[in-house]
Amino acid sequence: MKLGKKISEGKTKIVYESDNPNEVILEFKDDITAGDGLKHDIIKDKGYLNAAISAEFFRILNKKGIPTHFIEFTPPRFMKVKSLVMLPVEVVCRRIAAGHLLKRLPIKAGTNFKPGLVELYYKDDEHHDPMINEDHIRILNLGTVDEAREIKEITVKVSDALAEYLTSYGIVLADLKIEFGRDKNNNLVVGDEINGDSCRLWDEKIEGKIYDKDVYRKGAPLNKVKDTYIELYKMLLKKDPKLG
Ligand code: TMP
Ligand code: ASP
């Protein structure tokens, strides 16, 4: 795998050109952030752990026939993916009420949603990623109302596929956030990353035991946060990570 020119850099990933114009390479950084980047730290090997877990999640989705950008994982921290034009939208699917939902609506923590509750957010730091609906997608020229519905349908499929897979490892998927892009044929494809940074993952048996970035958001020391990512890696990949 040959790294080409750097195309862009975000809080947790760098995008590079590859030797194929239809493919790009993602590098997962060791940075961890929360609260619109206000909280920021570096955790050695976090990029590797998250890249490996993302690759595993994308393999599950590809096997289910859900369109994703994932092509290949190159350890420790690179992923070859289809080149997409990303939509500035975060799509959340909530299976169990937690997090910000509890601050916004009179819904009890732990309420189950079947089918999953899907929410769209416009990625715009200045406006603090406001929640939007299908009409806003149209008005912001991001897509048609039908495409917004397609995004929501695919998101429920992603959530159901990952929940089914995680259950077999004793993990409950409480919610997740995914992002979409368009491929060269204008098809909507799941892009970005899916891992403990973008999902709430709870132990099925041990109340309060979590395997995701909430550990960091709630202020745990960085070694504890790293242990959480290692634990998730070991549970899902059934081997020890090769830490540097
Ligand atoms: P929320 O309860 O904070 O809205 O989060 C819902 C899910 O989305 C949770 O799994 C965390 C994830 N998420 C992100 O990945 N990025 C974000 O910027 C936010 C706000 C949430
Ligand atoms: N993704 C956001 C950040 O990195 C917020 C979060 O995940 O809590 O700032």
Side-chain angles (χ1 to χ4, degrees):
M1 192 195 58
K2 206 173 135 271
L3 274 192
K5 233 176 57 198
K6 186 168 158 178
I7 300 172
S8 63
E9 177 162 1
K11 286 187 280 199
T12 59
K13 292 188 297 302
I14 305 174
V15 186
Y16 299 94
E17 286 179 352
S18 73
D19 44 20
N20 179 333
N22 296 318
E23 298 171 358
V24 293
I25 295 163
L26 303 184
E27 176 179 0
F28 286 67
K29 305 199 291 185
D30 284 341
D31 299 61
I32 182 163
T33 71
D36 286 342
L38 280 177
K39 192 168 148 79
H40 172 230
D41 289 283
I42 307 279
I43 298 178
K44 191 165 169 9
D45 295 315
K46 184 251 183 188
Y48 154 53
L49 296 163
N50 263 7
I53 291 164
S54 278
E56 192 60 14
F57 283 3
F58 278 122
R59 273 185 215 112
I60 304 296
L61 300 179
N62 282 356
K63 258 193 235 156
K64 289 263 180 192
I66 295 169
T68 85
H69 67 162
F70 178 74
I71 299 171
E72 171 184 281
F73 171 45
T74 303
R77 57 179 72 239
F78 296 98
M79 198 184 268
K80 191 191 276 178
V81 298
K82 278 184 208 152
S83 175
L84 302 178
V85 177
M86 295 303 292
L87 298 177
V89 176
E90 296 196 338
V91 192
V92 169
C93 183
R94 301 182 190 272
R95 309 176 65 85
I96 305 179
H100 278 114
L101 182 71
L102 309 178
K103 300 206 167 119
R104 270 198 322 266
L105 289 167
I107 293 174
K108 254 183 74 185
T111 306
N112 279 278
F113 303 120
K114 257 188 206 152
L117 166 60
V118 181
E119 300 170 339
L120 305 166
Y121 295 89
Y122 185 53
K123 285 178 68 151
D124 182 333
D125 284 342
E126 199 188 319
H127 296 97
H128 305 292
D129 296 355
M131 194 194 280
I132 56 171
N133 64 25
E134 288 89 336
D135 282 335
H136 297 101
I137 294 273
R138 174 176 57 83
I139 284 159
L140 292 164
N141 286 320
L142 302 174
T144 63
V145 167
D146 280 345
E147 283 175 325
R149 291 196 183 121
E150 187 185 338
I151 285 174
K152 290 173 80 170
E153 275 164 25
I154 298 174
T155 303
V156 170
K157 283 189 189 151
V158 168
S159 160
D160 287 348
L162 292 181
E164 185 190 321
Y165 156 76
L166 287 161
T167 295
S168 62
Y169 293 86
I171 298 174
V172 176
L173 175 66
D175 56 35
L176 58 68
K177 183 272 300 177
I178 57 175
E179 296 186 24
F180 285 81
R182 291 177 190 279
D183 67 12
K184 61 179 192 312
N185 300 318
N186 217 29
N187 294 315
L188 291 162
V189 175
V190 181
D192 196 52
E193 62 184 307
I194 317 176
N195 49 47
D197 275 12
S198 55
C199 302
R200 285 200 169 90
L201 304 165
W202 298 345
D203 195 285
E204 209 167 69
K205 295 211 176 76
I206 310 166
E207 171 109 30
K209 172 85 186 139
I210 60 180
Y211 301 101
D212 62 69
K213 198 168 88 173
D214 267 351
V215 174
Y216 176 72
R217 292 191 189 98
K218 288 175 181 164
L222 296 183
N223 62 332
K224 273 254 179 264
V225 178
K226 180 167 181 172
D227 286 347
T228 301
Y229 283 92
I230 293 173
E231 246 180 313
L232 181 63
Y233 178 102
K234 285 186 179 170
M235 283 175 87
L236 298 181
L237 292 139
K238 301 232 180 291
K239 60 183 178 189
D240 286 334
K242 291 197 179 83
L243 302 176

